Amino acid sequence: MICIAQRLPALTRQWSLSTLSDYLIKTREPIMEAITNFSVRIVQRYLPSAFVLAVILTAITFVLGIAIAGQSPMAMVDFWGDGFSKLFTFGMQMVLVLLTGYVLAMTPIVKNALNTLAKQASTPKQALALTILVSFVCYYLNWGFGMVAGAILARAMGRSVKVHFPLIVAAAYGGELVRGPSSSIPLVIATPGHFMEESIGIVPVSQTLYSGWNIALTIGLLVLLIAFFMLQKQPKEIVLLEDKEDDNIEVKAFEGKMCFSDWIDHSRLPTLFLGLLAASYLVAKIINGNFSINLNSMILIFLSLGLLLHSNSASYLNAAELAVKAGRGIIVQFPLYAGIAGMMTKAGLVTIFSNAIISVATIKTFPVLTFLCAGIVNFFIPSGGGQWAIQGPIMMQAAYELGADPALTIMAFTWGDGWTNQIQPFWALPLLGVAGLSARDIMGYLVIWLGISGIAIAGTFMFLM
């Protein structure tokens, strides 16, 4: 078994080709495989850690605010500081999604179920296809659920099949770009009383999320995703799942004379009571018709199931300890991206970028340019709802002036918002935390998938116009 940390220096020493053209000339690999391998090697060699990348993006935004928006350095400092705390609530939600999902995955019944599912695949290609299909469907239903489910299934496949682990984790993350029923922007626009109702009215989801062309695009992307990863060959040096920590999660019955504190810690009563309390709340919401799938309800579902399926509070807390370690990237980096978003919005950079795109748009190119503009800004403001609140009015006003279809504009923006998540470590952090990998381990594959999916999505909008 080869550890990733041990493998990277060897890869760096072996990699002496400086350009893709050199690589394509000297290798006999098929062109798609050669391009992917080139991307993987370049990313592993040059991509910094997700934390350092967030710092670099902060510096770039700081400089752009001064150079392009004409802001003073002190003003940019103020904008960063004002934005720093804006994602505290969302960041805590993401930590809890990861923690409760991770803890649930560590219960014996879920591990056995996942292992049973993983055993349906006997080859690496079967493992990739099954992981993509399951995670894609989960992402479609809810992106938070897909994030945890995809990573957990990838780990199960890593235990069952001798597969290159970074490859299968990348495959599990590839479906994150899909826009399904939990996509916030189309849902907001379809809700009476939304903040842009006076200018664009109500746009029902039948014209956006559930339009025939959007469903066809979704299915097409699933087929492309499976095909792309099925074409990837296992590298000569396979990186296998390092899974040593999971063996000692469950705490066995206490042996020896117990005092009250020992007894209560190893009793099922505390976790059973709290699990039933959370489950009762969810059932009541469902019965009353007030239930909806969102981050808060997902956290409660995962919490309830984890508490009910762990044998006692000691086992639950042991699993939670591993989950907190896996979530350290979210805790540290989410505030940094909030600071970036603060600088982007208050310095006026979002408006500048949007107007630059609009200035060269025609009615035929506007949806594609909207898609690209949303994708670029998403890299700096990785929050769909927040990005729409800033960019939405600008893009919809431009759509009105050009005579572009509002529904197409909304969905172009929505797909753009999800598209660059493929190379934005911000959204990969929960999945990477569960998988135990770094961004550079999977981004080489995802850079190529970004290009393939981008061509497919942009091509769809060009065809529709």
Side-chain angles (χ1 to χ4, degrees):
M1 186 176 292
I2 300 172
C3 176
I4 294 172
Q6 296 172 334
R7 181 173 178 265
L8 286 177
L11 283 174
T12 302
R13 290 192 299 271
Q14 293 168 4
W15 181 247
S16 59
L17 301 175
S18 59
T19 65
L20 176 59
S21 59
D22 291 336
Y23 184 75
L24 292 175
I25 291 171
K26 295 183 180 182
T27 183
R28 295 182 179 179
E29 297 172 342
I31 186 167
M32 178 55 69
E33 183 183 344
I35 292 173
T36 303
N37 289 340
F38 178 88
S39 175
V40 169
R41 287 169 170 80
I42 289 296
V43 167
Q44 287 179 329
R45 185 171 185 178
Y46 294 110
L47 184 70
S49 68
F51 173 77
V52 172
L53 181 59
V55 176
I56 291 173
L57 287 175
T58 301
I60 291 172
T61 309
F62 187 88
V63 172
L64 289 176
I66 297 171
I68 296 179
Q71 300 290 339
S72 69
M74 199 60 228
M76 294 302 293
V77 170
D78 287 339
F79 298 155
W80 180 86
D82 290 341
F84 184 79
S85 61
K86 297 296 184 182
L87 290 181
F88 280 2
T89 299
F90 180 61
M92 186 62 177
Q93 287 175 317
M94 289 305 298
V95 169
L96 288 173
V97 165
L98 186 150
L99 187 148
T100 54
Y102 194 111
V103 170
L104 174 60
M106 293 301 102
T107 59
I109 188 171
V110 173
K111 289 177 72 173
N112 291 337
L114 287 171
N115 289 334
T116 299
L117 179 62
K119 287 177 182 177
Q120 305 307 308
S122 57
T123 67
K125 289 189 181 298
Q126 290 176 357
L128 285 166
L130 185 56
T131 300
I132 291 170
L133 180 60
V134 173
S135 61
F136 191 94
V137 171
C138 292
Y139 276 121
Y140 182 79
L141 296 174
N142 183 278
W143 62 266
F145 177 54
M147 194 78 64
V148 175
I152 292 170
L153 181 57
R155 288 176 66 90
M157 289 294 181
R159 296 187 193 100
S160 179
V161 180
K162 189 178 181 181
V163 62
H164 185 53
F165 191 56
L167 176 63
I168 201 165
V169 173
Y173 185 67
E176 198 279 337
L177 87 168
V178 70
R179 303 293 91 180
S182 63
S183 299
S184 60
I185 297 170
L187 295 179
V188 167
I189 297 301
T191 303
H194 70 83
F195 73 99
M196 292 177 62
E197 183 175 359
E198 291 186 6
S199 58
I200 66 172
I202 303 296
V203 182
V205 291
S206 59
Q207 297 179 21
T208 55
L209 286 173
Y210 303 120
S211 61
W213 67 264
N214 193 60
I215 293 173
L217 174 59
T218 301
I219 295 172
L221 286 171
L222 173 59
V223 173
L224 279 176
L225 181 63
I226 293 175
F228 170 68
F229 279 98
M230 292 284 280
L231 288 173
Q232 306 307 313
K233 289 186 177 180
Q234 298 268 72
K236 293 180 181 178
E237 296 184 51
I238 297 176
V239 178
L240 300 178
L241 169 66
E242 293 281 355
D243 201 27
K244 297 177 181 178
E245 290 183 310
D246 291 349
D247 296 333
N248 299 315
I249 295 299
E250 285 296 309
V251 176
K252 297 180 180 179
F254 189 85
E255 297 179 359
K257 187 176 181 180
M258 289 192 295
C259 61
F260 176 78
S261 60
D262 294 326
W263 175 81
I264 198 67
D265 284 343
H266 293 77
S267 169
R268 191 172 179 80
L269 293 178
T271 52
L272 183 62
F273 168 74
L274 190 58
L276 289 174
L277 184 66
S280 299
Y281 174 82
L282 292 168
V283 171
K285 285 288 185 180
I286 294 172
I287 293 174
N288 294 333
N290 297 325
F291 180 78
S292 61
I293 293 290
N294 52 46
L295 282 180
N296 293 334
S297 61
M298 279 185 54
I299 291 167
L300 271 178
I301 291 170
F302 289 163
L303 174 70
S304 175
L305 291 174
L307 289 166
L308 292 174
L309 296 178
H310 270 284
S311 60
N312 51 54
S313 59
S315 293
Y316 188 92
L317 291 176
N318 277 359
E321 183 178 350
L322 293 179
V324 171
K325 180 181 178 181
R328 62 189 182 276
I330 298 174
I331 298 169
V332 173
Q333 294 171 48
F334 269 43
L336 299 185
Y337 282 103
I340 294 171
M343 290 190 289
M344 286 287 294
T345 55
K346 291 195 173 183
L349 289 170
V350 176
T351 301
I352 291 171
F353 291 158
S354 299
N355 288 335
I357 293 291
I358 291 169
S359 66
V360 298
T362 65
I363 188 171
K364 186 172 181 63
T365 62
F366 184 70
V368 173
L369 291 176
T370 299
F371 164 72
L372 294 173
C373 184
I376 293 169
V377 174
N378 174 66
F379 205 74
F380 295 89
I381 307 178
S383 170
Q387 188 180 344
W388 176 252
I390 302 161
Q391 263 186 294
I394 301 170
M395 306 310 290
M396 295 309 295
Q397 178 62 30
Y400 175 78
E401 293 175 0
L402 288 170
D405 186 338
L408 278 181
T409 302
I410 292 165
M411 287 311 297
F413 191 98
T414 301
W415 279 106
D417 171 65
W419 176 52
T420 46
N421 286 349
Q422 294 301 295
I423 56 171
Q424 168 52 278
F426 178 91
W427 289 116
L429 287 173
L431 175 134
L432 291 170
V434 175
L437 297 179
S438 67
R440 67 168 62 94
D441 297 319
I442 67 171
M443 286 300 165
Y445 301 104
L446 296 174
V447 167
I448 306 302
W449 171 237
L450 178 85
I452 294 171
S453 59
I455 291 170
I457 298 169
T460 298
F461 287 115
M462 289 295 291
F463 174 78
L464 291 171
M465 294 303 295

